Amino acid sequence: MKKIIVVFTILFSVIIFSNDLDDAISRYSHMKEFKIEIKINFEVDSSPTSVFMDIYVDNYKYFYFRIYEPKILSGIDYYYDLHTDEFYTNLKNDVDKYNGIKSNLKIFKDFIKILSLTYSKDKFFIKEIKKEPYKIYYFYPKSKTALRLLRVDYTQMKIYMYEKFDNYFIDKIEFFNSNNKKKVEVIFKITPYNTDFIRKNLLKIQK
């Protein structure tokens, strides 16, 4: 849970193969207070769907989640206190608390393990493509065995990086199935952010 810069950053850490990606991950891992804007677009059936949220991280100990899509989960404040292992939801000052979140992280850990084995460097041909304003790293499998993820056989991946102030930053990743007709696009932005408000709000709702 300590390195919960979300699953996508952990994915990057197991497929690092260039100085650009290495430098990008290094920058993110040294940030103590930051905000992650995430949008995930699912184009896997006739009705595209999306998940849109912000994650605020305070020294990898306190977390705040703000969800915009799906709408059914929006309008609720989500907090997690790693020290006490307590998860809170706050809907118009109606607070609910959930204990023992750490014990439920096995699914997350298993998912990371699957990704680390499936997207390891030796299983892919890797091509670098320059397409303004991006530098794109294209992963194409050496084996045609499909990865069954979200019930779609994702076998290809692209990592998009853009240059700013002589540094490269990760902008998005895309997963494609074998015939390029189904796709999951993950767009995110990580920026420094003063997250003192998380601890202050937690103190109020923990009383």
Side-chain angles (χ1 to χ4, degrees):
M1 189 73 176
K2 183 178 178 181
K3 292 297 183 182
I4 194 172
I5 307 181
V6 301
V7 63
F8 315 111
T9 302
I10 301 176
L11 169 61
F12 297 148
S13 69
V14 299
I15 59 174
I16 288 173
F17 63 94
S18 74
N19 289 333
D20 290 339
L21 280 174
D22 190 21
D23 290 344
I25 298 301
S26 178
R27 283 194 298 274
Y28 297 149
S29 66
H30 284 85
M31 295 171 66
K32 299 301 182 183
E33 295 182 81
F34 55 93
K35 171 186 176 182
I36 311 169
E37 300 172 50
I38 302 173
K39 186 165 188 179
I40 309 174
N41 298 313
F42 297 88
E43 299 177 15
V44 297
D45 52 35
S46 58
S47 301
T49 58
S50 62
V51 174
F52 181 26
M53 71 170 67
D54 292 337
I55 302 175
Y56 300 79
V57 181
D58 183 355
N59 287 287
Y60 303 102
K61 296 179 180 178
Y62 308 99
F63 305 86
Y64 172 65
F65 305 82
R66 178 177 293 165
I67 300 175
Y68 303 99
E69 295 180 17
K71 293 295 184 181
I72 194 172
L73 298 177
S74 65
I76 304 173
D77 294 324
Y78 302 87
Y79 294 91
Y80 179 64
D81 185 334
L82 177 64
H83 178 69
T84 60
D85 190 24
E86 294 174 337
F87 184 81
Y88 297 87
T89 60
N90 184 2
L91 175 60
K92 298 179 180 180
N93 294 321
D94 183 9
V95 178
D96 286 318
K97 182 176 73 171
Y98 304 87
N99 296 311
I101 298 299
K102 288 180 183 178
S103 62
N104 295 321
L105 292 179
K106 186 177 185 301
I107 294 176
F108 177 79
K109 293 178 181 178
D110 289 345
F111 180 67
I112 297 302
K113 184 177 180 180
I114 292 171
L115 287 177
S116 64
L117 293 174
T118 305
Y119 284 105
S120 59
K121 180 181 174 181
D122 62 334
K123 291 181 173 62
F124 283 81
F125 296 108
I126 303 171
K127 183 178 180 180
E128 181 180 323
I129 304 169
K130 290 187 178 180
K131 184 178 180 180
E132 293 296 332
Y134 295 109
K135 178 185 287 187
I136 305 170
Y137 291 101
Y138 174 42
F139 288 69
Y140 186 79
K142 295 178 181 178
S143 169
K144 298 303 183 291
T145 301
L147 169 63
R148 297 292 178 181
L149 181 63
L150 300 177
R151 298 183 180 179
V152 181
D153 57 326
Y154 291 108
T155 58
Q156 304 172 75
M157 179 175 66
K158 290 181 180 179
I159 298 179
Y160 290 75
M161 304 185 69
Y162 67 95
E163 186 176 10
K164 186 176 182 180
F165 305 124
D166 297 324
N167 288 307
Y168 279 93
F169 297 85
I170 301 170
D171 183 65
K172 65 178 178 179
I173 57 177
E174 294 176 336
F175 296 92
F176 297 86
N177 70 331
S178 55
N179 60 13
N180 294 321
K181 291 184 178 180
K182 296 183 179 182
K183 179 178 74 171
V184 170
E185 179 185 60
V186 182
I187 304 169
F188 69 97
K189 180 180 179 182
I190 302 177
T191 55
Y193 199 94
N194 186 337
T195 55
D196 290 346
F197 75 94
I198 302 178
R199 280 171 288 174
K200 293 178 181 179
N201 291 348
L202 275 169
L203 285 174
K204 291 179 181 179
I205 64 178
Q206 286 173 335
K207 291 181 178 178

